[in-house]
Amino acid sequence: MKRIVITLVLLLATLGGLQAQKFAFVDTEYILNKIPAYRTAQQQLEGYSKQYAHEVDAAYSAIQQKVKTFQSESVLLTPDMRQKRQQEIVADEQKAKDLQQKYFGREGLLMKKQEELLKPIQDQVFKAVKELAADEGYAAIFDVASSASILYSSARYDKSDDVLAKMGY
């Protein structure tokens, strides 16, 4: 284990030309929550999500009602009528699943709205981070909001407020 650590340190020293590299971190979650346009976009997405969920729930409720009706009337129906109603229920279930996929799937409307509303703001943050890194000579800036591999970070090296300032917030 010691050998690996020593080899790694020597390799980094050699690659870095024995220069001290500057590192910092930002918390993109903190930054985004300080941007009013981001909060507005999040609220809009929440509204879309509730609207879409309501439509999907209504479709599934209608199916449940059809199933209950079918169960209560099935003894009175002919075999052909029973089969037809069962096929209608199966078709309605497929329509509800398709609707759910249309709204909440990977290529769904909610994902498209999220891309439309949040990506420009996230791009601004990324641009500001890149500018900060270039201006102050950082070799790397880590994101503590999305990286579970950073176990500790001193607030002294947190550049989140600098990014916000660079963006005008």
Side-chain angles (χ1 to χ4, degrees):
M1 184 66 160
K2 274 186 177 180
R3 228 181 226 168
I4 293 172
V5 172
I6 292 171
T7 305
L8 186 60
V9 168
L10 288 175
L11 180 64
L12 288 174
T14 304
L15 291 176
L18 299 174
Q19 294 178 333
Q21 298 292 322
K22 288 175 61 175
F23 298 95
F25 72 91
V26 296
D27 184 346
T28 53
E29 189 174 315
Y30 169 80
I31 293 168
L32 291 171
N33 286 326
K34 293 287 185 180
I35 299 172
Y38 184 80
R39 289 193 305 264
T40 301
Q42 286 285 73
Q43 290 170 350
Q44 287 176 333
L45 283 173
E46 190 175 307
Y48 286 122
S49 179
K50 286 179 182 178
Q51 174 189 341
Y52 298 157
H54 179 72
E55 288 182 39
V56 170
D57 289 344
Y60 280 112
S61 293
I63 292 167
Q64 285 178 334
Q65 187 58 43
K66 274 189 173 184
V67 168
K68 285 180 183 178
T69 302
F70 171 75
Q71 288 172 343
S72 65
E73 296 175 352
S74 67
V75 291
L76 304 173
L77 300 174
T78 66
D80 288 339
M81 291 173 71
R82 227 179 285 135
Q83 184 179 8
K84 183 180 175 187
R85 290 237 187 130
Q86 286 173 335
Q87 289 172 346
E88 287 175 7
I89 291 170
V90 169
D92 287 348
E93 285 176 340
Q94 186 58 48
K95 286 179 188 175
K97 286 178 185 176
D98 291 345
L99 183 66
Q100 188 172 14
Q101 188 66 25
K102 174 185 169 186
Y103 288 146
F104 298 106
R106 258 198 254 168
E107 303 285 325
L109 291 177
L110 191 61
M111 290 300 285
K112 288 178 183 173
K113 285 289 185 188
Q114 185 173 357
E115 177 85 11
E116 174 188 319
L117 295 171
L118 299 181
K119 184 153 178 29
I121 300 166
Q122 291 168 334
D123 288 346
Q124 287 176 337
V125 171
F126 181 68
K127 181 181 174 196
V129 168
K130 280 178 64 175
E131 288 174 3
L132 180 72
D135 292 348
E136 297 190 21
Y138 288 107
I141 297 182
F142 301 98
D143 182 7
V144 295
S146 63
S147 177
S149 63
I150 297 176
L151 299 177
Y152 170 78
S153 56
S154 170
R156 180 173 133 192
Y157 301 106
D158 185 356
K159 300 299 176 186
S160 301
D161 288 325
D162 293 347
V163 171
L164 283 167
K166 193 164 264 313
M167 294 176 67
Y169 294 102

